[in-house]
Amino acid sequence: MTKKADGQLPAIQYLRAAAALLVAIAHASEEAKYFFGFTPWVQTEAFGKGVDLFFVISGFIIYLSSIKLSDSPTPFMTFAKNRFIRVVPLYYISTALMVVVVVFFPGGVKEARFDIWQIITSFTFIPYARALDGRMAPILSLGWTLNYEMFFYCLFSLCLLMPRRYVGFLAVAIIITLAILGILVPKGASAPVRFWTHNIIIEFAFGIVIAMAYERYGRIKANLYVSVTLISVGFILLYYLNTPPRPIELPRFISAGVPAAIITLSVVLLFPAKAEARLPRIGVALGDSSYSLYLTHRFVQRPIQILTTKLSPFGAEHNGGFYLIVAVIGAVITGQVVFMTIERPLLKWMRMKMIRGRVPQGAE
């Protein structure tokens, strides 16, 4: 695939942007329904499955990045440091902000409550069934995906202790084994056991397999229309299989993971290099800020909802639609600002402090 100077893959950045935007739209739609009784023009429940696309992309990126660690004397430690730097600082900032909101502005949150154990497990990435409704989510509910990401990073880093040629196969084998064991886990099992053996973890394995195919075969020569058609089919399946009433109830790794894998595979192996080189920069920029967008969009959408409710600019029957549009646009803009002013400078500073010399970047 075509690469930017910093090692990123432009088409993958587009997918990251799409995944974060889908999640932001899904959550804004939930708020519009809850507070304004507004029904969006299309059903948006399936948009929340943008996180499944994130998981497949993560599996792809992590394996691809690990290739660059083959020259490192301690790939295990280098990988762990890189992942800590990339994920933890901004998440900790966002989680701390959420704690402040819950403590000092409890009326500003819809579900979260002060729970010391939930706060502790939030910072340690340990799944915790909150007392409010039994949902396994950190105090910043978006962080449930980070609990999966950190679990995957820990698992993959252990695999790096093996010779490189075995790393991908071993990681996939462990993930599939855990998912199979999850079928046998009783409902009364501890939250971490139930969480870490859910079949959704297979989506990381999908990404690893795609990365291994890319490593071995490179880009398969394909027509632009073929790749775009397959990408479109993937998104249609992602929507159709996850929109109520669902045609059939399938495990999540099938209903959301398989379409996400089709999309990622089509972009990685089939999308022509010439077409990728012509992709507008704005999509790459949105992909760069996708992590900031994901972590901050709830902080933006809630104040906009409160203001829209109080000001009632277009009357009750139109406020929901107005809120939905402004909330999504505001979240995207805020994500860019946070990325430019906090995330990117923080990453640069952390890399200088924690890792001597050049950090193997890969495709982050």
Side-chain angles (χ1 to χ4, degrees):
M1 297 183 74
T2 305
K3 293 188 179 183
K4 290 168 56 182
D6 59 6
Q8 290 178 338
L9 310 177
I12 285 292
Q13 292 302 93
Y14 263 72
L15 287 189
R16 292 177 64 182
L21 190 58
L22 285 172
V23 173
I25 294 173
H27 288 159
S29 298
E30 290 175 4
E31 299 291 280
K33 291 177 185 178
Y34 184 86
F35 290 102
F36 302 101
F38 175 77
T39 301
W41 306 278
V42 296
Q43 288 185 288
T44 57
E45 180 178 321
F47 287 22
K49 299 305 185 290
V51 299
D52 300 76
L53 183 55
F54 266 131
F55 287 165
V56 176
I57 294 171
S58 182
F60 172 81
I61 288 176
I62 291 307
Y63 180 83
L64 202 64
S65 298
S66 72
I67 298 172
K68 296 181 177 293
L69 302 178
S70 57
D71 295 332
S72 172
T74 55
F76 168 86
M77 289 301 300
T78 304
F79 175 84
K81 287 181 179 179
N82 285 353
R83 290 300 93 199
F84 178 90
I85 291 170
R86 183 67 185 88
V87 171
V88 174
L90 189 62
Y91 176 67
Y92 274 9
I93 291 172
S94 302
T95 299
L97 179 59
M98 188 64 187
V99 173
V100 170
V101 172
V102 169
V103 172
F104 295 101
F105 308 99
V109 294
K110 189 169 62 178
E111 296 177 344
R113 300 291 183 271
F114 184 84
D115 181 335
I116 188 63
W117 285 113
Q118 186 179 30
I119 294 172
I120 292 172
T121 54
S122 294
F123 283 101
T124 54
F125 299 98
I126 297 174
Y128 173 78
R130 62 189 187 187
L132 180 66
D133 54 11
R135 181 186 174 192
M136 287 186 283
I139 193 164
L140 177 63
S141 60
L142 295 165
W144 72 268
T145 62
L146 275 300
N147 284 351
Y148 275 118
E149 290 281 357
M150 293 301 290
F151 175 69
F152 172 57
Y153 297 159
C154 290
L155 183 154
F156 195 87
S157 64
L158 292 175
C159 293
L160 288 172
L161 296 173
M162 299 292 291
R164 199 183 75 79
R165 63 183 178 274
Y166 300 128
V167 170
F169 295 105
L170 180 59
V172 170
I174 294 174
I175 288 171
I176 293 176
T177 301
L178 288 172
I180 293 174
L181 290 175
I183 300 174
L184 306 176
V185 171
K187 292 183 179 180
S190 65
V193 171
R194 287 183 286 128
F195 191 86
W196 290 331
T197 58
H198 191 282
N199 64 75
I200 198 172
I201 63 175
I202 295 177
E203 294 171 0
F204 293 107
F206 286 158
I208 293 173
V209 172
I210 294 170
M212 292 171 68
Y214 175 70
E215 178 191 21
R216 181 166 184 175
Y217 301 109
R219 189 193 302 270
I220 299 172
K221 189 174 182 180
N223 185 281
L224 175 63
Y225 298 106
V226 173
S227 61
V228 171
T229 297
L230 286 175
I231 292 169
S232 301
V233 168
F235 276 111
I236 290 171
L237 287 174
L238 186 66
Y239 182 81
Y240 180 66
L241 294 178
N242 295 281
T243 297
R246 296 174 178 82
I248 184 174
E249 288 295 332
L250 296 168
R252 183 159 178 167
F253 84 96
I254 295 178
S255 65
V258 169
I262 292 172
I263 295 166
T264 306
L265 182 148
S266 301
V267 165
V268 170
L269 299 180
L270 302 179
F271 198 75
K274 290 183 179 179
E276 185 178 32
R278 293 195 298 267
L279 290 173
R281 169 64 195 172
I282 185 171
V284 177
L286 288 174
D288 291 343
S289 64
S290 59
Y291 187 47
S292 291
L293 169 58
Y294 180 76
L295 286 179
T296 63
H297 70 272
R298 284 292 204 183
F299 293 109
V300 178
Q301 292 175 347
R302 190 72 171 101
I304 292 176
Q305 175 268 312
I306 294 173
L307 285 175
T308 304
T309 301
K310 289 184 176 181
L311 297 177
S312 189
F314 293 104
E317 69 275 16
H318 300 299
N319 281 340
F322 170 77
Y323 161 77
L324 179 57
I325 294 172
V326 175
V328 173
I329 294 174
V332 171
I333 294 173
T334 301
Q336 258 315 301
V337 172
V338 171
F339 171 73
M340 296 290 291
T341 61
I342 299 177
E343 182 183 356
R344 189 165 64 177
L346 185 58
L347 285 174
K348 184 177 180 180
W349 182 81
M350 290 286 288
R351 284 167 179 156
M352 290 176 60
K353 291 294 183 181
M354 293 189 65
I355 301 179
R356 296 179 181 179
R358 186 177 182 276
V359 179
Q361 301 289 321
E364 294 184 332

